Each structure stands twice: as C-alpha cells, then as structure tokens.
Amino acid sequence: MERIVLSLLVDNTSGVLSRVAGLFSRRGYNIESLTVGVTADERYSRMTVVSIGDQEILDQIENQLRKLEDVRDIKELKPGCSVFRELILVKVRANSGERQAVSAIADIFRATIVDVGKDSLTVMLTGDQSKLDALINLLEDYEILELARTGLTGLSRGSGDIRYLP
C-alpha cells in the first residue's frame, strides 16, 4: 500500500467538501486525513487529502477528483518537495505534582501549554506526523483524557509550480 498526499484547489462554495468526500465514499476509497481552508483568494479553498492504496487505486482517485466540477487544480505533494504540518491538542490528567514533568516533556518538543485546569494540562504542538507521534508516546505515561489532530496539511516547496486562477 502506498500513500498519496493531494493538494486540491477548489471553488469556495457550499457542498464542495460533501462532493469530494462523497466521491471517496461511493468508490470505496479511504480518506486517511482531510483538511480544508480558504486561500488568500476567497473564491477558492485548499483541500489536503491523504489516502492510501495501490498505485492503480491512487491513480483512479486523482482521475476521479479531476472530473469534479469544483476542482480547479490538483497537485501531488511528494515528500522532499513539499512541506507538511499537523496540529495536535492533547489534554493530559496532571495533578499539581505532575504538571512540571508534563511541562518539561512539552518543552522538549517546543510544544505550548494552552490550558491549565485543576487536574489537567492541554498541550498544543505543530510539526510532522512523527514528531506528534513521539509526543503522544511520551505522554502515554500519563492519562490522556482527550486528543484532537487536525490532519495533514501541506504545500509544495518553492514558487515553481504555483498556478494562478483567473
């Protein structure tokens, strides 16, 4: 099984997300990660879709996405030629005696403590997936109460393959 990361430039209109997700659902393809946000031009949104499959399936996914009316551009984001990031929020049970240790772990990763409760800390970290996984691995010694990951988002490196739409 291979993994593909696609950056889609789509019209910023209602129903686009539903149509893209519906395509995956109808065809039985799996979405490993999906992020969406408006671009500098408010007429368009950028979707970063991560999927896995054999090469034939991945080619079919790209071809089917190109047929969607709302999809204006598709780029495959290849490792080494692209920048990928993900955000994670982890709420950890930590009493007053454990807060310093959890804070020290966060510092190692340059993570930020974004909330402190009476018996918990919430840690925020951005980075590549392996960095986030490493933080989770160290925090497993404490009770993880909640965890939220945004999913992968990315852009190609440099300015050589930027497409400007009218």
Side-chain angles (χ1 to χ4, degrees):
M1 297 292 257
E2 297 179 45
R3 179 175 179 224
I4 192 168
V5 179
L6 297 173
S7 177
L8 283 62
L9 197 58
V10 299
D11 291 332
N12 185 15
T13 57
S14 63
V16 175
L17 177 59
S18 177
R19 287 186 282 282
V20 169
L23 180 146
F24 278 78
S25 176
R26 284 189 309 277
R27 304 262 191 280
Y29 305 143
N30 186 43
I31 296 175
E32 186 176 287
S33 168
L34 173 66
T35 60
V36 185
V38 70
T39 65
D41 183 339
E42 292 185 10
R43 297 176 299 164
Y44 305 106
S45 291
R46 181 168 313 281
M47 290 185 177
T48 305
V49 181
V50 181
S51 191
I52 54 173
D54 61 32
Q55 190 58 52
E56 183 179 338
I57 295 291
L58 299 179
D59 290 341
Q60 286 177 357
I61 289 171
E62 190 170 345
N63 290 334
Q64 293 298 319
L65 286 169
R66 286 190 189 284
K67 292 179 183 179
L68 292 178
E69 183 176 310
D70 302 307
V71 175
R72 300 292 171 212
D73 188 40
I74 299 176
K75 292 182 201 172
E76 181 179 351
L77 299 179
K78 297 184 182 278
C81 301
S82 306
V83 177
F84 302 108
R85 292 294 181 267
E86 186 174 358
L87 175 123
I88 190 169
L89 294 170
V90 185
K91 186 182 294 182
V92 179
R93 184 175 311 281
N95 60 35
S96 59
E98 296 170 318
R99 284 192 187 124
Q100 187 61 39
V102 173
S103 183
I105 291 170
D107 288 344
I108 291 168
F109 289 90
R110 295 190 179 132
T112 306
I113 306 293
V114 293
D115 185 61
V116 178
K118 188 174 182 176
D119 60 351
S120 68
L121 291 175
T122 302
V123 179
M124 178 184 73
L125 177 64
T126 58
D128 62 30
Q129 290 177 313
S130 63
K131 182 177 182 179
L132 276 57
D133 291 340
L135 174 69
I136 292 169
N137 186 45
L138 286 178
L139 291 177
E140 284 178 345
D141 290 342
Y142 303 89
E143 183 182 357
I144 295 176
L145 300 171
E146 290 184 289
L147 185 143
R149 291 179 85 148
T150 60
L152 197 65
T153 192
L155 291 172
S156 57
R157 292 186 183 274
S159 61
D161 66 348
I162 294 175
R163 180 169 175 198
Y164 296 98
L165 298 176

